[in-house]
Amino acid sequence: MSKALNSRRLVKIYRYDPSVGGNGHFDQFDLNIEDETKTTILDLLIRIQKTQDPTLAFRYACRVNMCGSCGMVINGCEALACKTNVSDLPEKCDITIRPLNHFPVIKDLVVDMKPFFQKLEASIPYFDPVDESMEPAVIRPDSKERNLIGLATECIQCGCCVSSCTMVNYHENYAGPAALNRAFTLLADSRDGLYDLRMNQVLESCYHCRTEFNCTEVCPKEISPTRAIKYIQLLALKEPRRLKRQNLLKPIHEEKTSGKESLPSADSGCNWLIEQHNRRKFLKQIIFGIGTASALVVGGVIAAAAIGPSLKRIPKRLVRLDKLEAFPVGKVSTIVMNDIVPNGFYKSEIKKPVIVVRRSDPDKIVVFNTSCTHLGCTVHWDESKKQYMCACHGGAFDEEGNVTAGPPPRPLDRYAFKVEDGYLFAEVV
Amino acid sequence: MEQSRKIQFRGPMKWGELDPNRRRSTHVGMWAWLWQRISAVAIIFFLGLHITRTYIPIIQFLLLITVVFHAVLGLRVILLDFNLINIRYRNSLLGVLVGLGALIFMIIWKGIY
Ligand code: SF4
Ligand code: FES
């Protein structure tokens, strides 16, 4: 890329002076960069410190992505200063460099990593073998277990993932991606003897994860702490009993008196554990309470909807069919009845054919329900046979609606009716 | 040498306040998370409208679209939580699921109207 040669870049660096305090501000430096593909952000910082502002503070040690001291936020994304080339950033844009999120700022780009290491320590980040044999345990490099853990052991504790995770901000006790990733490498290790203890330390934290994958996106070692967190959750699902049986507080005290110093310290680890225990209990009660309440509400609504209609007396409705003259005397006529039924929040319209028979002698009217009394198919009048026929199963009814053939168990149903103002009304229940 | 006076740390940055580029760190997964929360609130709102004013097409439309959207984002979390999808495909998974949601939406909408 020829464009990347001898380019000018404006570098904005966050400055905070502890002797002044306040919110901090950005300083601007104008730099000529000879070859962007060969210049890292760390090179820029060193150059600025040597040639422009010797008071600029930042951390670094190895310069080759191994020590994890140079984690910072470059153009809005967490990254290692020594791993990010200027050419990795969009061409010609200004470069903004600021310290990591969620850590107190000591000076300029230097943050206090104490919270990070406290939380890492609380996840019991060391290996303690199940058996005390002196032989080194062997894990074959091609075994399933080793492949599962994969490169998750490569974490350099740079803190990028913790800075990128928004949940660290909202949940004070959240151990954070790096600590959980470390715990995962040991939980998945069959040789390790502290499974239960570690599980109890970290499981609660795993549920703070909201699957945002921010940590996975930024990790300079291409580790996915999200994957680690999900794996721990799955492990807990597979062995819920083992978790319950645990006496949560005992092992810590035992270990403490035995004098292993790298165990979680009293202030960070143990209180945390007790708190988690109480919290778990409290959460259980809350969830049970909410569950019961919502079950009652939903149950109530369903019950009311199921039983309600049959308890309520539905008033008889008169449905207007047509003018009386529309039904010729001595004929069988079929008309579609337009019935509007109130149903909860809305009204439903039911269209249903009815048969009206008007006889001359005497002036007698019968309104038949067209549903066959067998299985409800619609019957029709057959003029030649002088019968009502049902096409479905061969049921037949005579003029009075009595069964003459087929399976129907009773005569055709009739509607009560009324004649008012020359209109014929059917009475529907 | 002992520090003579206590250094005053600046409180942690919470979301990169002051940083003009901070929105660049909003990755795909974070949008998925954020939109699921937003759609959850929207569902409550539209559901209320839907119950009080029944059968108004525009409200049905909005309710259905938020419900489907919320559901596919929930599906994403389930698939990832139970390791049913390799997290390597996390970003394309979102696209596929949202596409699927749009398809389901269209089928349901066609079914109604
Ligand atoms: S998991 Fe990755 S981002 Fe997090 S501390 Fe380790 S190396 Fe850094
Ligand atoms: S200086 Fe060691 S990782 Fe960047």
Side-chain angles (χ1 to χ4, degrees):
Chain A
M1 268 204 296
S2 57
K3 270 187 212 155
L5 293 176
N6 269 324
S7 62
R8 285 200 90 75
R9 290 259 197 175
L10 196 64
V11 185
K12 297 181 193 156
I13 301 178
Y14 175 82
R15 305 301 302 270
Y16 171 79
D17 185 347
S19 61
V20 176
N23 224 351
H25 64 278
F26 280 92
D27 270 354
Q28 299 197 350
F29 302 92
D30 200 3
L31 288 182
N32 180 45
I33 299 163
E34 267 152 39
D35 186 350
E36 291 200 348
T37 53
K38 287 183 186 150
T39 313
T40 64
I41 297 295
L42 185 62
D43 293 331
L44 294 186
L45 291 174
I46 295 173
R47 211 167 107 194
I48 290 171
Q49 194 191 45
K50 277 193 180 152
T51 62
Q52 299 197 32
D53 189 346
T55 64
L56 179 64
F58 54 95
R59 269 201 198 108
Y60 74 100
C62 69
R63 292 171 290 123
V64 285
N65 331 331
M66 280 176 63
C67 70
S69 6
C70 65
M72 52 188 72
V73 182
I74 301 161
N75 273 11
C77 278
E78 285 76 6
L80 295 179
C82 67
K83 200 188 175 202
T84 313
N85 285 328
V86 179
S87 57
D88 294 341
L89 305 174
E91 251 176 70
K92 285 187 190 134
C93 82
D94 298 346
I95 301 170
T96 317
I97 306 173
R98 68 168 171 91
L100 297 177
N101 291 325
H102 316 317
F103 299 114
V105 181
I106 302 177
K107 185 175 189 300
D108 298 347
L109 302 175
V110 180
V111 292
D112 180 11
M113 296 285 281
K114 195 167 157 207
F116 180 91
F117 288 108
Q118 261 175 354
K119 285 176 174 175
L120 191 69
E121 224 174 299
S123 75
I124 320 177
Y126 53 85
F127 173 73
D128 193 31
V130 189
D131 48 6
E132 298 287 326
S133 80
M134 299 303 282
E135 287 291 310
V138 180
I139 283 208
R140 291 175 52 84
D142 56 354
S143 67
K144 210 176 148 206
E145 189 183 335
R146 186 67 196 87
N147 281 322
L148 172 77
I149 298 171
L151 293 178
T153 48
E154 295 293 293
C155 172
I156 53 173
Q157 278 98 44
C158 63
C160 287
C161 51
V162 174
S163 166
S164 74
C165 179
T166 51
M167 289 302 133
V168 176
N169 191 16
Y170 298 115
H171 306 281
E172 213 182 309
N173 286 331
Y174 183 27
L180 294 176
N181 177 65
R182 182 68 189 151
F184 153 71
T185 59
L186 291 159
L187 286 171
D189 189 333
S190 59
R191 305 163 304 164
D192 184 69
L194 293 177
Y195 179 93
D196 297 306
L197 187 59
R198 185 174 296 112
M199 194 55 148
N200 279 308
Q201 280 283 60
V202 300
L203 182 60
E204 198 76 22
S205 266
C206 291
Y207 298 112
H208 290 312
C209 174
R210 297 289 182 274
T211 329
E212 290 180 28
F213 285 110
N214 283 355
C215 52
T216 309
E217 304 285 353
V218 301
C219 176
K221 291 282 162 184
E222 276 151 40
I223 298 168
S224 175
T226 318
R227 167 173 166 265
I229 293 168
K230 300 298 166 201
Y231 184 82
I232 298 176
Q233 289 177 341
L234 277 187
L235 268 187
L237 262 190
K238 277 179 198 148
E239 300 186 62
R241 284 249 201 75
R242 193 161 164 186
L243 276 172
K244 267 194 196 147
R245 256 192 287 116
Q246 274 289 302
N247 182 344
L248 279 164
L249 301 174
K250 226 171 109 207
I252 284 271
H253 288 306
E254 273 175 7
E255 298 271 350
K256 264 184 123 180
T257 43
S258 74
K260 287 197 179 175
E261 51 177 319
S262 45
L263 261 163
S265 57
D267 56 327
S268 69
C270 198
N271 285 346
W272 185 17
L273 191 61
I274 298 170
E275 209 181 287
Q276 280 200 0
H277 180 54
N278 289 338
R279 218 164 71 109
R280 198 173 292 175
K281 246 166 78 182
F282 175 69
L283 278 178
K284 244 188 218 159
Q285 288 167 350
I286 290 261
I287 289 170
F288 185 75
I290 293 177
T292 318
S294 38
L296 281 178
V297 170
V298 172
V301 170
I302 292 176
I307 303 171
S310 52
L311 293 181
K312 211 164 54 185
R313 270 192 51 140
I314 300 170
K316 282 183 186 163
R317 280 166 289 120
L318 280 180
V319 181
R320 198 174 78 178
L321 296 178
D322 207 346
K323 282 207 181 95
L324 205 53
E325 294 97 71
F327 307 104
V329 179
K331 276 260 161 74
V332 176
S333 27
T334 307
I335 183 174
V336 176
M337 174 169 76
N338 220 345
D339 187 10
I340 293 167
V341 188
N343 192 350
F345 294 115
Y346 59 96
K347 293 197 167 85
S348 61
E349 223 179 287
I350 298 175
K351 286 196 163 95
K352 188 174 176 358
V354 293
I355 293 171
V356 178
V357 188
R358 197 166 167 198
R359 296 208 188 84
S360 50
D361 180 36
D363 194 358
K364 191 182 153 205
I365 297 174
V366 184
V367 184
F368 282 116
N369 184 339
T370 52
S371 300
C372 174
T373 50
H374 176 223
L375 288 175
C377 294
T378 304
V379 298
H380 62 93
W381 173 247
D382 190 325
E383 188 62 50
S384 59
K385 288 192 188 138
K386 295 277 180 214
Q387 276 190 342
Y388 296 103
M389 310 293 297
C390 176
C392 290
H393 308 96
F397 306 84
D398 66 12
E399 285 164 305
E400 285 303 312
N402 296 318
V403 185
T404 53
R410 57 169 203 276
L412 278 177
D413 293 331
R414 298 173 180 206
Y415 289 111
F417 64 92
K418 227 181 194 169
V419 182
E420 249 179 49
D421 304 335
Y423 278 98
L424 179 65
F425 290 85
E427 209 167 79
V428 182
V429 187
Chain B
M1 205 175 67
E2 188 80 20
Q3 196 85 39
S4 55
R5 88 199 131 85
K6 210 175 177 310
I7 302 182
Q8 226 207 312
F9 291 179
R10 184 203 190 277
M13 289 199 183
K14 289 191 171 137
W15 37 271
E17 51 274 41
L18 300 176
D19 185 346
N21 278 320
R22 75 185 147 80
R23 287 222 172 70
R24 302 183 94 228
S25 62
T26 314
H27 304 287
V28 176
M30 193 162 162
W31 282 121
W33 164 79
L34 204 58
W35 277 106
Q36 198 185 18
R37 310 300 132 140
I38 294 171
S39 61
V41 178
I43 285 176
I44 297 175
F45 179 70
F46 291 136
L47 203 57
L49 274 182
H50 178 67
I51 289 174
T52 47
R53 339 204 126 268
T54 31
Y55 290 102
I56 295 175
I58 181 72
I59 295 176
Q60 282 184 314
F61 180 87
L62 290 171
L63 181 65
L64 185 62
I65 212 165
T66 40
V67 166
V68 169
F69 191 52
H70 188 76
V72 292
L73 290 178
L75 216 55
R76 162 185 176 268
V77 178
I78 293 173
L79 289 176
L80 292 166
D81 265 356
F82 290 95
N83 202 18
L84 301 174
I85 291 272
N86 192 325
I87 57 145
R88 193 173 301 150
Y89 310 119
R90 59 185 180 274
N91 291 346
S92 27
L93 171 70
L94 185 65
V96 170
L97 281 178
V98 170
L100 192 75
L103 196 74
I104 292 173
F105 171 81
M106 255 141 39
I107 291 173
I108 298 180
W109 191 248
K110 275 267 164 61
I112 302 179
Y113 290 103

